[in-house]
Amino acid sequence: MPVPLSSLLFLLSSELRGTRQLYFNVSLRSLSSSAQEASKRIPEEVSDHNYESIQVTSAQKHVLHVQLNRPEKRNAMNRAFWRELVECFQKISKDSDCRAVVVSGAGKMFTSGIDLMDMASDILQPPGDDVARIAWYLRDLISRYQKTFTVIEKCPKPVIAAIHGGCIGGGVDLISACDIRYCTQDAFFQVKEVDVGLAADVGTLQRLPKVIGNRSLVNELTFTARKMMADEALDSGLVSRVFPDKDVMLNAAFALAADISSKSPVAVQGSKINLIYSRDHSVDESLDYMATWNMSMLQTQDIIKSVQAAMEKKDSKSITFSKL
């Protein structure tokens, strides 16, 4: 049954007058408690995610942990990886119980990028008996590889990249498609493709300029393949926080994911979709898209639940939102 407009306006105006400080205090407390819970919880493997190159576990309620899982190969991206990450995030997109995702790398580094030894034949010896047919094959191959990271961006659930050690080549393509990036003090980032004779072709050149907003710096990193260290990554806006080590970073990433997952999934997922739309369209187009989006989403009961909880001075985590 729809809530009368007058009642809704009263709740909203009261919330704005009286509970801003409450939200701030609750947020700080919940983030701290979430970090403690994340450090204590034992990850559980998710039964419908069985892969060779990645491991998917349930980090905590509503939060999945996707881990690049070839530590003996420095998490190099082999044939299985390019296929499995697409399958993984397509499942996550449809998983109504998942509200946030953390992506990290097992072992000593996040990833060394593409596994050239495993994929050399696809790239250097493509099938085809003339230039045109080889070109069609390579175009299809590149398009499929591009989809591996685009599927992260298209996933409506917020994706947090937690990077330690090296993030090289394809790793930069991957994290550029994520929504939030954390890293350790020993992390470095390298657009490595020019050093192996090719232009990055699966997302870095398209997304990185929009992520850090400094085309001169992007050009420098791309043309030279130099390493960007953690402090520079923070200053440039590539990452939002830097941590002393991997464990501290992962706990913070899980705490952030838990905080996000406690919010209305209608609000969070709608925000992600509209932020990405706005990145690629004009202000007028984006406002029109937002108006069309919210003409239905404003009718959600999540608004009433959230405002009532604030009025009653309840922790936002006490609200039970329906699955989406």
Side-chain angles (χ1 to χ4, degrees):
M1 178 177 179
V3 176
L5 179 59
S6 58
S7 299
L8 179 58
L9 289 174
F10 173 77
L11 287 170
L12 287 171
S13 61
S14 299
E15 184 274 327
L16 289 172
R17 285 198 305 271
T19 61
R20 286 180 179 173
Q21 186 61 42
L22 169 67
Y23 271 132
F24 178 74
N25 291 338
V26 167
S27 178
L28 288 179
R29 289 198 303 270
S30 63
L31 199 61
S32 175
S33 62
S34 295
Q36 293 174 2
E37 291 171 8
S39 63
K40 293 177 181 177
R41 183 182 173 95
I42 299 173
E44 301 173 0
E45 289 201 40
V46 183
S47 59
D48 61 339
H49 287 275
N50 297 305
Y51 309 110
E52 296 175 24
S53 65
I54 55 179
Q55 182 182 48
V56 181
T57 56
S58 176
Q60 50 197 288
K61 187 178 181 181
H62 301 312
V63 177
L64 291 180
H65 181 197
V66 177
Q67 189 174 46
L68 311 189
N69 195 35
R70 299 183 73 215
E72 73 286 353
K73 297 291 186 180
R74 299 190 301 165
N75 296 322
M77 300 170 175
N78 61 354
R79 285 189 181 93
F81 168 85
W82 297 95
R83 179 183 69 254
E84 290 175 344
L85 200 68
V86 174
E87 180 184 343
C88 173
F89 273 92
Q90 285 177 337
K91 287 181 179 179
I92 289 173
S93 294
K94 297 175 182 177
D95 183 354
S96 61
D97 195 51
C98 175
R99 296 182 184 175
V101 183
V102 174
V103 177
S104 72
K108 296 181 179 180
M109 66 189 307
F110 184 73
T111 178
S112 58
I114 190 170
D115 189 337
L116 291 172
M117 296 299 292
D118 186 62
M119 303 180 65
S121 61
D122 287 348
I123 299 170
L124 301 179
Q125 296 176 315
D129 56 11
D130 65 9
V131 171
R133 285 165 178 80
I134 293 173
W136 275 100
Y137 168 84
L138 288 173
R139 190 183 194 283
D140 178 69
L141 183 71
I142 295 165
S143 296
R144 282 189 278 120
Y145 290 169
Q146 290 172 345
K147 184 180 179 181
T148 300
F149 302 134
T150 296
V151 73
I152 298 175
E153 185 175 84
K154 290 186 178 296
C155 176
K157 290 59 183 299
V159 181
I160 303 162
I163 305 120
H164 76 289
C167 178
I168 301 169
V172 179
D173 295 287
L174 191 162
I175 67 164
S176 297
C178 296
D179 303 296
I180 299 168
R181 288 162 293 276
Y182 284 178
C183 78
T184 56
Q185 191 64 56
D186 71 346
F188 67 88
F189 306 84
Q190 194 170 16
V191 185
K192 185 71 172 173
E193 283 79 357
V194 295
D195 277 351
V196 292
L198 58 92
D201 56 6
V202 289
T204 289
L205 303 188
Q206 293 70 38
R207 295 188 178 99
L208 191 59
K210 296 179 179 181
V211 169
I212 67 176
N214 184 333
R215 186 164 291 275
S216 176
L217 178 58
V218 172
N219 290 348
E220 178 188 333
L221 295 170
T222 302
F223 301 158
T224 65
R226 75 164 176 85
K227 294 179 181 179
M228 172 189 270
M229 308 309 290
D231 289 341
E232 186 181 6
L234 179 63
D235 290 342
S236 71
L238 178 60
V239 301
S240 49
R241 295 184 67 185
V242 176
F243 298 87
D245 59 52
K246 183 180 179 182
D247 288 341
V248 175
M249 174 189 64
L250 283 176
N251 284 337
F254 291 138
L256 176 63
D259 192 35
I260 291 170
S261 68
S262 72
K263 314 297 184 185
S264 160
V266 172
V268 171
Q269 295 179 36
S271 295
K272 173 172 177 173
I273 290 167
N274 277 275
L275 281 167
I276 292 174
Y277 186 92
S278 297
R279 180 196 66 188
D280 300 328
H281 295 80
S282 70
V283 172
D284 284 343
E285 290 171 323
S286 301
L287 286 171
D288 184 62
Y289 188 81
M290 187 76 247
T292 303
W293 183 272
N294 259 6
M295 72 185 198
S296 55
M297 295 301 135
L298 284 177
Q299 300 179 62
T300 177
Q301 287 297 305
D302 291 11
I303 296 174
I304 308 303
K305 291 179 179 179
S306 298
V307 174
Q308 286 177 336
M311 288 295 298
E312 295 168 8
K313 298 186 177 181
K314 292 181 178 177
D315 190 326
S316 61
K317 286 183 170 55
S318 68
I319 308 172
T320 301
F321 294 112
S322 300
K323 292 183 178 182
L324 182 62

